[in-house]
Amino acid sequence: MENIKSKEININFSGKLVSLGPLRSDLVPLYNRWNNDFQTTKTLASTGPVILEEEIAAFKQISQNKNFLFFTIYEKHTLQPIGNTFLSDINYKNRTAEFNIVIGEKDSRGKGYGTEVAKLVLDYSPNIRFT
């Protein structure tokens, strides 16, 4: 796992193992590495390699789309980014969404992080402002 340092990390909420915060533009190259690992993305709707410029454009689009809610997953004690999680296709009228978890760092898999992320996001989801 790369050692990613940042002057400030915004954390929205935490469990015992992980913390969740907003996507960060300085992490787009890391998100791009995860999205180009086909073992990581085999259960997602990814169709092939993604160049960095496409990842940057997707980041900008997702950041402004109210039908997506993305979080960066951090290992709580080190604050190292290990993946991301998101609600997509949010339907505000019917109060539904698709839920995804990506543990991009291979050495962070099998440690209960994904289970805790699922609990945190599902506990948070009733607080989404369905207007």
Side-chain angles (χ1 to χ4, degrees), residues 43-63:
T43 60
L44 300 177
S46 300
T47 58
V50 180
I51 63 171
L52 183 58
E53 291 77 13
E54 291 173 315
E55 197 79 45
I56 292 167
F59 172 83
K60 289 177 183 176
Q61 183 181 33
I62 288 167
S63 298

Side-chain angles (χ1 to χ4, degrees), residues 76-106:
K76 183 177 180 177
H77 299 290
T78 64
L79 289 180
Q80 289 300 307
I82 61 169
N84 56 47
T85 185
F86 55 96
L87 296 171
S88 60
D89 298 323
I90 298 172
N91 183 313
Y92 292 92
K93 181 180 178 185
N94 295 320
R95 299 179 59 92
T96 61
E98 184 177 320
F99 175 57
N100 292 277
I101 301 171
V102 175
I103 304 296
E105 294 299 326
K106 292 178 183 180

